[in-house]
Coordinates of all heavy atoms in Angstrom, one line a residue:
N279 N 73.3 144.6 109.8 CA 72.0 144.0 109.9 C 71.2 144.7 111.0 O 70.7 144.2 112.0 CB 72.1 142.5 110.3 CG 71.9 141.7 109.1 OD1 71.4 142.0 108.0 ND2 72.5 140.5 109.2
Y398 N 84.2 114.8 114.5 CA 83.4 116.1 114.1 C 84.4 117.3 114.0 O 84.3 118.0 113.2 CB 82.5 116.4 115.3 CG 81.6 117.6 115.1 CD1 80.6 117.7 114.2 CD2 82.0 118.9 115.9 CE1 79.9 118.8 114.0 CE2 81.3 120.0 115.5 CZ 80.3 119.9 114.7 OH 79.5 121.2 114.4
A606 N 62.1 150.3 160.5 CA 61.5 151.6 160.8 C 60.1 151.8 160.4 O 59.3 152.3 161.2 CB 62.4 152.7 160.0
I728 N 99.7 138.1 117.3 CA 99.2 136.7 117.3 C 100.2 135.6 117.6 O 99.8 134.8 118.3 CB 98.5 136.4 115.8 CG1 97.3 137.4 115.6 CG2 98.1 135.0 115.7 CD1 96.7 137.5 114.2

Side-chain angles (χ1 to χ4, degrees):
N279 265 336
Y398 182 76
I728 293 171

